[in-house]
Amino acid sequence: MKKKVFLSLLFILLAILSILCAFIFLSHNKTLTENEPTVTESPTGQSETVDLTDISTSSFMPSTETKNDITIANGSLFVISLTQTEQQTLVGFECSDESVITVDDGGRIDALQEGTAEITATFSNLNSYKYKVNVTKKEDSIEYDGFSTCILANTDILAENIRTFTGARSLYSIKVNRQMNCVTVYTYDSNGKYTIPVRAMVCSCGLNKGTILGEFKIYFQNEWNGLLNNVYGHYVSGISGNYLFHSVPYYSTNENKLETEEYNKLGSDGSLGCVRLAVADSKWVYENCPVGTPVTIYDDSNPGPLGKPESIHITDLQNGWDPTDDNKNNPYLNKKPTINGVSDTTINVGDDFDILKGVSALDTCGNDITDKMVVTGNVISSKAGTYKVTYEVEDAMHRTAKTDIVVTVLS
């Protein structure tokens, strides 16, 4: 009897040991399987091994991406472009040399002086972008006088021609595109041909093709000259017979007696045959294109190599002045465009912010030119910070307005 009990206990013990060994084996095998490399098949059919431990570790390693260099002129502005996702994870920007450039919390760069600096953008996933910023010499630009609506070009060539001018030929040649109501003035090239456009001006030619076509030369000039229907032209240059360059007509020889309704026709047919110009442009022809200057009048759907300038419309028809007249008594003399509806603003994180909401711009004469406004800045309303925004606009007379504001986003 005792022998049977002993054998039963021994059998139970062996069974328990067998189960424990099996459990230990399976656990050990699972651990080995989890840690061993995964085998995949490459496109060539050969086996490749991928170390899963390396993958899991590298996915959390910070990375730095070098972006394309940014080159801007001294005194100019630039905004680093970020996707919406990048803006949401942006931690901030850092600049290596704030004497060369500054950068705000939205990635707007202000170039302060020539040189090189580096900007680093960091993100909440520990990744970062690096931008090398090169600030170059301020670009030469054409300076306008703030009166004429003309387009200028090739001023360097013209300046050299003026410097070396001997009077052997005319300095300028004038071409009037009757179809497009546009005048383009040329100077001569190194071969003495009038191929270099230097000035384009908007005009009004004759109704019903009333302006003559052909080639002529300026043959007389008067500061004031009587016209048909008892009106007067200012700064008059004769083309041929009764066909003249002159201002929009005046009711008398007073600068404040302009036919303002006729002025607003510049850019379209309006005269009885003469070529009407704004005062700034008729004066320029009068002072710079003496008797003998060649004139060509032609038709073409292409306004000319410089394009057709804008005209500026008078909104106050009771004001009898040409806005482009540089006369010291002209009430338009000290006017300029205005930008309205902008001021420093403080909002909270998450608030809606429209950089153009309520903003408008008017030109020197009070016309709406909001669509010409240029806005530089980037406000990330989901991120606390300080953001700079610049509003700029230029009207047809090349007069400008500029307003800077600061938008503060509070957490």
Side-chain angles (χ1 to χ4, degrees), residues 79-93 103-108 121-123 131 345-355 376-389 406-411:
V79 176
I80 294 173
S81 178
L82 296 176
T83 66
Q84 186 173 0
T85 300
E86 290 169 337
Q87 290 189 26
Q88 290 173 346
T89 59
L90 178 68
V91 174
F93 292 95
V103 59
D104 75 356
D105 292 321
R108 168 179 146 160
T122 56
F123 301 91
Y131 305 85
T345 304
T346 299
I347 62 174
N348 295 315
V349 167
D351 288 351
D352 291 333
F353 180 77
D354 184 346
I355 209 166
T376 307
N378 180 38
V379 178
I380 305 175
S381 58
S382 61
K383 177 183 177 298
T386 302
Y387 305 88
K388 293 186 288 186
V389 181
V406 174
V407 179
T408 304
V409 180
L410 301 176
S411 58

Side-chain angles (χ1 to χ4, degrees), residues 99-308:
S99 68
V100 176
I101 57 172
T102 59
V103 59
D104 75 356
D105 292 321
R108 168 179 146 160
I109 301 170
D110 288 58
L112 306 180
Q113 66 175 7
E114 294 176 47
T116 301
E118 187 176 76
I119 289 175
T120 302
T122 56
F123 301 91
S124 57
N125 61 2
L126 303 183
N127 292 336
S128 62
Y129 296 158
K130 287 194 178 295
Y131 305 85
K132 181 181 177 182
V133 182
N134 302 304
V135 180
T136 61
K137 181 180 178 181
K138 185 177 181 180
E139 300 172 351
D140 292 333
S141 59
I142 294 174
E143 296 293 333
Y144 288 89
D145 59 14
F147 293 100
S148 173
T149 66
C150 70
I151 298 171
L152 302 178
N154 299 306
T155 53
D156 53 341
I157 298 175
L158 176 58
E160 180 62 17
N161 283 357
I162 292 173
R163 188 184 71 81
T164 59
F165 185 64
T166 63
R169 62 172 71 88
S170 296
L171 183 59
Y172 300 106
S173 175
I174 304 173
K175 294 187 178 181
V176 181
N177 186 335
R178 184 180 69 171
Q179 180 179 340
M180 296 302 296
N181 289 290
C182 182
V183 177
T184 304
V185 181
Y186 295 78
T187 192
Y188 47 81
D189 58 25
S190 58
N191 296 316
K193 305 294 184 181
Y194 294 99
T195 62
I196 309 298
V198 295
R199 186 182 182 100
M201 303 175 287
V202 66
C203 70
S204 282
C205 292
L207 294 164
N208 302 313
K209 299 188 183 299
T211 301
I212 55 173
L213 299 175
E215 296 187 0
F216 314 94
K217 290 185 177 181
I218 290 177
Y219 72 98
F220 87 94
Q221 293 181 310
N222 280 330
E223 185 174 351
W224 288 97
N225 203 80
L227 307 174
L228 295 175
N229 299 325
N230 296 316
V231 292
Y232 299 86
H234 201 10
Y235 299 114
V236 178
S237 299
I239 300 171
S240 176
N242 291 328
Y243 295 94
L244 317 168
F245 289 113
H246 62 72
S247 70
V248 172
Y250 288 78
Y251 293 111
S252 70
T253 56
N254 292 321
E255 289 90 341
N256 62 351
K257 298 298 181 181
L258 181 73
E259 290 191 60
T260 51
E261 297 90 344
E262 293 298 308
Y263 183 90
N264 286 343
K265 295 178 182 178
L266 283 171
S268 60
D269 295 343
S271 77
L272 297 178
C274 292
V275 180
R276 295 177 177 175
L277 299 163
V279 160
D281 296 327
S282 64
K283 183 179 181 180
W284 186 89
V285 173
Y286 176 80
E287 293 180 340
N288 294 277
C289 302
V291 170
T293 299
V295 177
T296 301
I297 304 177
Y298 68 102
D299 284 334
D300 198 308
S301 59
N302 181 349
L306 302 182
K308 180 179 178 178

Side-chain angles (χ1 to χ4, degrees), residues 22-95:
F23 179 79
I24 293 171
F25 174 81
L26 291 173
S27 299
H28 181 67
N29 188 58
K30 182 179 179 182
T31 301
L32 290 175
T33 303
E34 289 177 343
N35 289 331
E36 71 181 5
T38 298
V39 179
T40 60
E41 188 172 292
S42 70
T44 61
Q46 297 179 344
S47 296
E48 297 179 338
T49 60
V50 179
D51 192 330
L52 296 180
T53 303
D54 289 344
I55 290 177
S56 61
T57 303
S58 64
S59 63
F60 293 101
M61 292 292 289
S63 67
T64 299
E65 182 178 345
T66 300
K67 295 292 188 177
N68 291 335
D69 290 359
I70 299 170
T71 300
I72 55 177
N74 186 20
S76 61
L77 310 175
F78 182 86
V79 176
I80 294 173
S81 178
L82 296 176
T83 66
Q84 186 173 0
T85 300
E86 290 169 337
Q87 290 189 26
Q88 290 173 346
T89 59
L90 178 68
V91 174
F93 292 95
E94 291 185 359
C95 174

